[in-house]
Amino acid sequence: MRNGLSKDLIVRVLGAEPKYTLAELEEKYPLRDLPDGAFVTRFAPSPTGYMHIGGLYQALVDCKLAQQTGGVFMLRIEDTDTKREVADAVKIIEDSMHRFGLQYNKDEKYAPYYQSKRKDIYHSVAADLLARGLAYPCFLTAEDMEKIRENQKAAGFATGIYGEFARDRNLTEEEIIAHLDNGEVPTIRLYSMGNPENRIFCKDAVRGSIGFPENNEDIVLIKSNDGLPTYHFAHLCDDHFMRTTHVVRGEEWLPSFPLHVQLFRMMGWQTPMYIHTSTIDKIDSETGKQRKLSKRHDPEANVAFFLADGWPTEAVLEYLGNIAASGYEEAKMKGQVKSIWEYEMRPKKISMSGALFDMKKLEWWAKEFIASLPVDELVKRVRDWADEYDAVWAARIADKPEYLKNILAIERDNPKRIRKDFITWKQTLQEVAYFWDDLFVPNTEYVYNKDVLSAFLETFNVSDDKDTWWNKIVAIATEKGVKNGDVAMNLRVALTGRTNTPDLYSIMHVMGEEKVIERIKGAING
Ligand code: GLU
């Protein structure tokens, strides 16, 4: 601790009178009136113009923990890097949250939710620290710091601004005034009282209590170029005054964990509980090794990929939810719960080591989810996707909406035998594309029994019921000396170009008389 600065000097250092005292802030942002055990969580992305799947995972954990405890979940935009373009980037985040159904609370009482709009709060807390000698203005330039760094390296010391290397930590008021008179704008640094020879224990809900050397770096709290806080200081002020109880964030923050706990303790504020989530990984196709999903190399690292590719958002969430709460899949299979929102996620059990994101596993969740949809909902979702991402398909559907509904209704009436081959909205359309003449690809490899096809054409009547239709097939098989299945296969390939399809009778019905005749003739004459 050093001598605190006088009020006038604090105003000069910060460039303005602090708006609040700490007591006023405590009153303005009171403890929340929530039931015991309610979690207050927040998703706090930086607006980068990109929503990473790992971010969605964290947001889901945040939202779920708040939802199941009757708590509050917030979205806080960490836009303290003023070099970045923010407006569109925030839209991408908000839009992803909306599409994945992660609703956040916007209570005015704890607003604003943009860090760039919370400057008054940071400056008021900084003023308090300056007055108590727990922070100080630092006038080191980038060149000064580079020099310090080089000297430290040469002498084999740890790099950074700490202890004897923190040149300005004990400047007198007169010296500070001289710097200010010289037109220099300071950063505000923490006056760290930590000693790396001591250990500080930090509690993580998943990892338990972790011991670290105490932090002795005089880290920057407020930057000089824009007067905005660093992540560390914003985290302290915001999670205190937003009354966050649980900080869910990526494990890349573990190294600064001791610093954050030090800051809360220094303020005498309740330290939130932390949940450091593991990375979301994949198996690298070249090396065969597990590695973090990378923004640069993996399209599936981007949440937008799943939307454009037509994955049901619910399935993506279910899958991520099962990574966080590994008992979920079993509970769902046993019919104990219907969705992740009904399953209790236990913070202690959240995955701690790199979690594998396996597209094959996601496919399973997607198939299950799509199979659970009533046909009208399935049509709507496929159509919404096409309207947004595929104009050609959108036009085809708009032309004959009932046709798509009849197609998608095939093998959907018996709850025990619902088809499970639809994975994404896009793939669903590809899967049924043969129903459209412009997309139908005749099978040129299959060797048709043209006699069989001609015989079928002679007896075909689109209004036959299923038994009559089948009896005709059996009769043709007997007459031509082939198996019933051969007749069906000839028809199947002629009509769809494929050897594997859902119920053939339904397909014919939905296609209608004209198309059936045309395609069978096509196969006979082809
Ligand atoms: N803006 C930080 C990040 O994107 C937030 C970390 C946190 O949740 O505290 O990593």
Side-chain angles (χ1 to χ4, degrees):
M1 203 145 86
R2 47 158 292 145
N3 290 334
L5 302 191
S6 68
K7 190 154 184 271
D8 289 349
L9 191 52
I10 291 174
V11 174
R12 268 201 81 185
V13 162
L14 290 175
E17 184 105 18
K19 194 160 171 193
Y20 308 105
T21 62
L22 281 193
E24 283 165 348
L25 285 171
E26 289 294 334
E27 203 183 314
K28 187 167 160 58
Y29 303 109
L31 277 175
R32 293 174 187 261
D33 186 14
L34 291 169
D36 276 356
F39 283 36
V40 179
T41 59
R42 83 297 185 280
F43 175 47
S46 305
T48 57
Y50 180 95
M51 178 98 165
H52 195 283
I53 190 81
L56 184 67
Y57 173 66
Q58 279 166 23
L60 168 65
V61 171
D62 278 313
C63 188
K64 177 70 190 115
L65 293 176
Q67 170 257 355
Q68 72 188 21
T69 56
V72 174
F73 165 54
M74 301 167 278
L75 172 66
R76 182 172 74 220
I77 303 298
E78 306 222 317
D79 56 346
T80 53
D81 182 352
T82 38
K83 281 176 243 109
R84 281 191 179 136
E85 190 57 53
V86 173
D88 279 354
V90 172
K91 253 195 231 130
I92 290 174
I93 296 165
E94 288 177 340
D95 185 57
S96 308
M97 301 292 281
H98 176 71
R99 285 168 185 250
F100 283 87
L102 301 178
Q103 278 180 24
Y104 46 91
N105 180 287
K106 295 182 189 165
D107 188 353
E108 270 309 301
K109 180 115 203 93
Y110 296 90
Y113 292 98
Y114 283 71
Q115 287 187 328
S116 59
K117 297 192 178 143
R118 298 174 66 84
K119 216 167 171 173
D120 286 337
I121 300 173
Y122 310 125
H123 280 219
S124 300
V125 178
D128 175 81
L129 292 176
L130 289 166
R132 291 197 282 149
L134 295 170
Y136 64 92
C138 171
F139 298 92
L140 287 172
T141 62
E143 294 82 58
D144 293 334
M145 285 195 291
E146 190 44 42
K147 239 180 248 153
I148 293 173
R149 211 183 136 75
E150 275 164 23
N151 291 342
Q152 286 169 328
K153 275 178 141 176
F157 291 125
T159 55
I161 304 301
Y162 60 90
E164 65 201 272
F165 300 105
R167 187 194 72 187
D168 292 354
R169 68 187 335 224
N170 291 313
L171 290 181
T172 62
E173 294 225 344
E174 291 68 35
E175 288 168 324
I176 293 172
I177 290 168
H179 277 290
L180 293 172
D181 286 346
N182 199 24
E184 295 168 50
V185 182
T187 54
I188 310 297
R189 281 186 189 270
L190 169 73
Y191 191 101
S192 179
M193 287 177 297
N195 175 356
E197 281 170 20
N198 300 334
R199 282 183 92 67
I200 180 168
F201 286 88
C202 306
K203 249 177 119 179
D204 178 283
V206 186
R207 295 156 208 261
S209 177
I210 317 175
F212 292 91
E214 280 179 5
N215 163 68
N216 67 340
E217 273 198 69
D218 287 359
I219 53 110
V220 173
L221 302 174
I222 304 271
K223 298 178 279 171
S224 58
N225 61 334
D226 51 17
L228 284 168
T230 53
Y231 168 76
H232 312 299
F233 193 51
H235 159 49
L236 169 77
C237 299
D238 292 344
D239 285 317
H240 178 68
F241 289 115
M242 289 177 149
R243 307 298 177 180
T244 306
T245 62
H246 289 72
V247 171
V248 178
R249 62 182 184 185
E251 65 182 12
E252 68 273 18
W253 292 108
L254 277 173
S256 33
F257 196 7
L259 163 65
H260 301 149
V261 173
Q262 174 188 14
L263 293 175
F264 276 93
R265 289 191 189 158
M266 176 184 84
M267 296 306 294
W269 292 345
Q270 167 86 46
T271 310
M273 179 53 84
Y274 288 82
I275 296 174
H276 288 95
T277 57
S278 57
T279 52
I280 302 284
D281 296 352
K282 75 180 282 183
I283 302 287
D284 189 289
S285 54
E286 276 169 30
T287 64
K289 292 210 176 101
Q290 184 164 341
R291 63 160 174 82
K292 191 175 161 184
L293 272 179
S294 127
K295 179 171 168 176
R296 292 255 300 294
H297 300 114
D298 307 309
E300 74 271 31
N302 189 349
V303 167
F305 161 83
F306 294 93
L307 298 171
D309 212 38
W311 291 84
T313 50
E314 291 87 345
V316 177
L317 275 197
E318 297 262 287
Y319 178 46
L320 291 174
N322 193 57
I323 291 178
S326 58
Y328 169 56
E329 180 178 336
E330 200 186 324
K332 176 153 172 156
M333 285 305 101
K334 285 190 183 150
Q336 292 162 348
V337 290
K338 284 207 183 66
S339 83
I340 187 71
W341 300 106
E342 291 177 14
Y343 185 75
E344 190 189 344
M345 184 181 283
R346 309 255 300 275
K348 260 199 190 116
K349 295 203 161 168
I350 292 175
S351 156
M352 192 155 54
S353 53
L356 206 52
F357 193 89
D358 178 350
M359 291 300 280
K360 278 276 160 244
K361 198 75 211 191
L362 174 62
E363 279 184 13
W364 180 83
W365 285 96
K367 284 179 183 174
E368 290 290 323
F369 175 75
I370 296 184
S372 76
L373 291 179
V375 69
D376 285 323
E377 182 63 17
L378 173 58
V379 172
K380 180 182 179 311
R381 301 289 293 268
V382 166
R383 213 175 159 172
D384 287 349
W385 176 83
D387 285 344
E388 184 166 6
Y389 293 101
D390 192 325
V392 179
W393 260 115
R396 262 186 217 117
I397 300 170
D399 187 36
K400 287 193 272 176
E402 272 303 301
Y403 189 47
L404 178 66
K405 179 173 170 181
N406 294 339
I407 292 166
L408 295 182
I410 293 175
E411 280 192 18
R412 242 184 155 69
D413 41 3
N414 179 351
K416 291 208 187 81
R417 282 196 44 224
I418 302 220
R419 63 186 295 189
K420 283 202 179 156
D421 53 345
F422 296 145
I423 306 169
T424 67
W425 315 129
K426 181 177 172 180
Q427 173 267 357
T428 296
L429 287 169
Q430 288 163 353
E431 202 59 28
V432 299
Y434 57 78
F435 278 93
W436 280 264
D437 290 335
D438 59 327
L439 297 175
F440 170 60
V441 185
N443 190 324
T444 50
E445 265 147 44
Y446 189 77
V447 183
Y448 292 103
N449 183 332
K450 296 185 178 177
D451 266 3
V452 160
L453 290 176
S454 302
F456 182 81
L457 266 190
E458 274 165 35
T459 68
F460 174 57
N461 182 346
V462 79
S463 38
D464 282 346
D465 62 24
K466 198 164 182 178
D467 284 344
T468 314
W469 170 83
W470 182 246
N471 290 338
K472 286 183 177 175
I473 288 181
V474 174
I476 293 170
T478 318
E479 184 193 322
K480 303 289 174 194
V482 297
K483 292 188 189 136
N484 300 342
D486 294 332
V487 180
M489 185 57 86
N490 271 275
L491 291 170
R492 189 184 308 282
V493 178
L495 293 173
T496 68
R498 305 163 54 151
T499 51
N500 197 345
T501 70
D503 183 56
L504 189 57
Y505 174 78
S506 309
I507 290 177
M508 289 195 187
H509 238 235
V510 172
M511 277 187 176
E513 184 172 13
E514 202 180 316
K515 205 185 291 299
V516 170
I517 295 176
E518 198 178 295
R519 292 212 178 160
I520 295 177
K521 281 190 177 159
I524 294 172
N525 301 325

